[in-house]
PDB file of all heavy atoms in Angstrom:
ATOM      1  N   ARG A  32       4.022   6.218  -7.052  1.00  0.00           N
ATOM      2  CA  ARG A  32       4.235   6.862  -8.352  1.00  0.00           C
ATOM      3  C   ARG A  32       3.955   5.893  -9.495  1.00  0.00           C
ATOM      4  O   ARG A  32       3.393   6.283 -10.524  1.00  0.00           O
ATOM      5  CB  ARG A  32       5.654   7.426  -8.445  1.00  0.00           C
ATOM      6  CG  ARG A  32       5.867   8.640  -7.546  1.00  0.00           C
ATOM      7  CD  ARG A  32       7.149   9.393  -7.843  1.00  0.00           C
ATOM      8  NE  ARG A  32       8.312   8.550  -8.002  1.00  0.00           N
ATOM      9  CZ  ARG A  32       9.156   8.214  -7.030  1.00  0.00           C
ATOM     10  NH1 ARG A  32       8.942   8.651  -5.804  1.00  0.00           N
ATOM     11  NH2 ARG A  32      10.194   7.452  -7.272  1.00  0.00           N
ATOM     12  N   LEU A  33       4.325   4.644  -9.318  1.00  0.00           N
ATOM     13  CA  LEU A  33       4.067   3.616 -10.325  1.00  0.00           C
ATOM     14  C   LEU A  33       2.563   3.458 -10.570  1.00  0.00           C
ATOM     15  O   LEU A  33       2.103   3.461 -11.722  1.00  0.00           O
ATOM     16  CB  LEU A  33       4.668   2.284  -9.873  1.00  0.00           C
ATOM     17  CG  LEU A  33       4.419   1.074 -10.756  1.00  0.00           C
ATOM     18  CD1 LEU A  33       5.283   1.177 -12.010  1.00  0.00           C
ATOM     19  CD2 LEU A  33       4.758  -0.198 -10.006  1.00  0.00           C
ATOM     20  N   VAL A  34       1.797   3.346  -9.503  1.00  0.00           N
ATOM     21  CA  VAL A  34       0.337   3.191  -9.619  1.00  0.00           C
ATOM     22  C   VAL A  34      -0.277   4.436 -10.253  1.00  0.00           C
ATOM     23  O   VAL A  34      -1.089   4.333 -11.194  1.00  0.00           O
ATOM     24  CB  VAL A  34      -0.298   2.892  -8.245  1.00  0.00           C
ATOM     25  CG1 VAL A  34      -1.824   2.983  -8.307  1.00  0.00           C
ATOM     26  CG2 VAL A  34       0.135   1.518  -7.742  1.00  0.00           C
ATOM     27  N   ARG A  35       0.111   5.610  -9.791  1.00  0.00           N
ATOM     28  CA  ARG A  35      -0.456   6.845 -10.346  1.00  0.00           C
ATOM     29  C   ARG A  35      -0.109   7.010 -11.824  1.00  0.00           C
ATOM     30  O   ARG A  35      -0.949   7.420 -12.629  1.00  0.00           O
ATOM     31  CB  ARG A  35       0.012   8.059  -9.537  1.00  0.00           C
ATOM     32  CG  ARG A  35      -0.596   8.140  -8.159  1.00  0.00           C
ATOM     33  CD  ARG A  35      -0.423   9.506  -7.535  1.00  0.00           C
ATOM     34  NE  ARG A  35       0.932   9.993  -7.588  1.00  0.00           N
ATOM     35  CZ  ARG A  35       1.771  10.015  -6.564  1.00  0.00           C
ATOM     36  NH1 ARG A  35       1.392   9.561  -5.388  1.00  0.00           N
ATOM     37  NH2 ARG A  35       2.983  10.508  -6.701  1.00  0.00           N
ATOM     38  N   SER A  36       1.112   6.685 -12.174  1.00  0.00           N
ATOM     39  CA  SER A  36       1.540   6.791 -13.569  1.00  0.00           C
ATOM     40  C   SER A  36       0.700   5.884 -14.462  1.00  0.00           C
ATOM     41  O   SER A  36       0.253   6.285 -15.549  1.00  0.00           O
ATOM     42  CB  SER A  36       3.027   6.426 -13.671  1.00  0.00           C
ATOM     43  OG  SER A  36       3.435   6.388 -15.006  1.00  0.00           O
ATOM     44  N   TYR A  37       0.467   4.668 -14.017  1.00  0.00           N
ATOM     45  CA  TYR A  37      -0.346   3.720 -14.773  1.00  0.00           C
ATOM     46  C   TYR A  37      -1.775   4.244 -14.933  1.00  0.00           C
ATOM     47  O   TYR A  37      -2.342   4.225 -16.034  1.00  0.00           O
ATOM     48  CB  TYR A  37      -0.359   2.351 -14.086  1.00  0.00           C
ATOM     49  CG  TYR A  37      -1.240   1.346 -14.775  1.00  0.00           C
ATOM     50  CD1 TYR A  37      -0.773   0.611 -15.857  1.00  0.00           C
ATOM     51  CD2 TYR A  37      -2.547   1.133 -14.358  1.00  0.00           C
ATOM     52  CE1 TYR A  37      -1.589  -0.304 -16.506  1.00  0.00           C
ATOM     53  CE2 TYR A  37      -3.366   0.229 -14.998  1.00  0.00           C
ATOM     54  CZ  TYR A  37      -2.881  -0.489 -16.068  1.00  0.00           C
ATOM     55  OH  TYR A  37      -3.700  -1.394 -16.702  1.00  0.00           O
ATOM     56  N   LEU A  38      -2.371   4.724 -13.838  1.00  0.00           N
ATOM     57  CA  LEU A  38      -3.741   5.214 -13.902  1.00  0.00           C
ATOM     58  C   LEU A  38      -3.855   6.424 -14.825  1.00  0.00           C
ATOM     59  O   LEU A  38      -4.812   6.549 -15.596  1.00  0.00           O
ATOM     60  CB  LEU A  38      -4.248   5.555 -12.498  1.00  0.00           C
ATOM     61  CG  LEU A  38      -4.369   4.377 -11.529  1.00  0.00           C
ATOM     62  CD1 LEU A  38      -4.795   4.865 -10.154  1.00  0.00           C
ATOM     63  CD2 LEU A  38      -5.314   3.314 -12.059  1.00  0.00           C
ATOM     64  N   PHE A  39      -2.869   7.317 -14.773  1.00  0.00           N
ATOM     65  CA  PHE A  39      -2.876   8.502 -15.631  1.00  0.00           C
ATOM     66  C   PHE A  39      -2.761   8.078 -17.097  1.00  0.00           C
ATOM     67  O   PHE A  39      -3.465   8.589 -17.972  1.00  0.00           O
ATOM     68  CB  PHE A  39      -1.727   9.441 -15.252  1.00  0.00           C
ATOM     69  CG  PHE A  39      -1.833  10.796 -15.886  1.00  0.00           C
ATOM     70  CD1 PHE A  39      -2.586  11.791 -15.291  1.00  0.00           C
ATOM     71  CD2 PHE A  39      -1.183  11.075 -17.080  1.00  0.00           C
ATOM     72  CE1 PHE A  39      -2.694  13.046 -15.870  1.00  0.00           C
ATOM     73  CE2 PHE A  39      -1.277  12.316 -17.669  1.00  0.00           C
ATOM     74  CZ  PHE A  39      -2.034  13.310 -17.068  1.00  0.00           C
ATOM     75  N   PHE A  40      -1.875   7.114 -17.377  1.00  0.00           N
ATOM     76  CA  PHE A  40      -1.703   6.583 -18.727  1.00  0.00           C
ATOM     77  C   PHE A  40      -3.016   5.998 -19.259  1.00  0.00           C
ATOM     78  O   PHE A  40      -3.333   6.121 -20.444  1.00  0.00           O
ATOM     79  CB  PHE A  40      -0.606   5.512 -18.738  1.00  0.00           C
ATOM     80  CG  PHE A  40      -0.458   4.799 -20.052  1.00  0.00           C
ATOM     81  CD1 PHE A  40       0.187   5.405 -21.119  1.00  0.00           C
ATOM     82  CD2 PHE A  40      -0.977   3.519 -20.222  1.00  0.00           C
ATOM     83  CE1 PHE A  40       0.318   4.750 -22.333  1.00  0.00           C
ATOM     84  CE2 PHE A  40      -0.850   2.859 -21.436  1.00  0.00           C
ATOM     85  CZ  PHE A  40      -0.203   3.477 -22.498  1.00  0.00           C
ATOM     86  N   LYS A  41      -3.793   5.392 -18.375  1.00  0.00           N
ATOM     87  CA  LYS A  41      -5.081   4.799 -18.761  1.00  0.00           C
ATOM     88  C   LYS A  41      -6.192   5.849 -18.895  1.00  0.00           C
ATOM     89  O   LYS A  41      -7.334   5.519 -19.199  1.00  0.00           O
ATOM     90  CB  LYS A  41      -5.514   3.745 -17.737  1.00  0.00           C
ATOM     91  CG  LYS A  41      -4.678   2.484 -17.790  1.00  0.00           C
ATOM     92  CD  LYS A  41      -4.836   1.805 -19.122  1.00  0.00           C
ATOM     93  CE  LYS A  41      -5.116   0.343 -18.970  1.00  0.00           C
ATOM     94  NZ  LYS A  41      -5.368  -0.313 -20.241  1.00  0.00           N
ATOM     95  N   GLY A  42      -5.861   7.108 -18.639  1.00  0.00           N
ATOM     96  CA  GLY A  42      -6.831   8.183 -18.825  1.00  0.00           C
ATOM     97  C   GLY A  42      -7.618   8.556 -17.582  1.00  0.00           C
ATOM     98  O   GLY A  42      -8.532   9.389 -17.650  1.00  0.00           O
ATOM     99  N   LEU A  43      -7.280   7.972 -16.449  1.00  0.00           N
ATOM    100  CA  LEU A  43      -7.998   8.300 -15.215  1.00  0.00           C
ATOM    101  C   LEU A  43      -7.361   9.534 -14.572  1.00  0.00           C
ATOM    102  O   LEU A  43      -6.147   9.663 -14.530  1.00  0.00           O
ATOM    103  CB  LEU A  43      -7.949   7.126 -14.245  1.00  0.00           C
ATOM    104  CG  LEU A  43      -8.563   5.816 -14.762  1.00  0.00           C
ATOM    105  CD1 LEU A  43      -8.407   4.717 -13.724  1.00  0.00           C
ATOM    106  CD2 LEU A  43     -10.020   6.004 -15.118  1.00  0.00           C
ATOM    107  N   ARG A  44      -8.199  10.410 -14.081  1.00  0.00           N
ATOM    108  CA  ARG A  44      -7.702  11.603 -13.398  1.00  0.00           C
ATOM    109  C   ARG A  44      -8.075  11.489 -11.926  1.00  0.00           C
ATOM    110  O   ARG A  44      -9.131  10.973 -11.581  1.00  0.00           O
ATOM    111  CB  ARG A  44      -8.276  12.869 -14.031  1.00  0.00           C
ATOM    112  CG  ARG A  44      -7.878  13.028 -15.502  1.00  0.00           C
ATOM    113  CD  ARG A  44      -6.355  13.005 -15.667  1.00  0.00           C
ATOM    114  NE  ARG A  44      -5.943  13.105 -17.060  1.00  0.00           N
ATOM    115  CZ  ARG A  44      -5.389  12.118 -17.737  1.00  0.00           C
ATOM    116  NH1 ARG A  44      -5.230  10.922 -17.189  1.00  0.00           N
ATOM    117  NH2 ARG A  44      -5.009  12.295 -18.984  1.00  0.00           N
TER     118      ARG A  44
END
Side-chain angles (χ1 to χ4, degrees):
R32 289 193 314 268
L33 176 74
V34 170
R35 289 196 310 256
S36 174
Y37 177 84
L38 295 176
F39 192 86
F40 174 77
K41 289 297 228 176
L43 300 178
R44 299 304 178 249

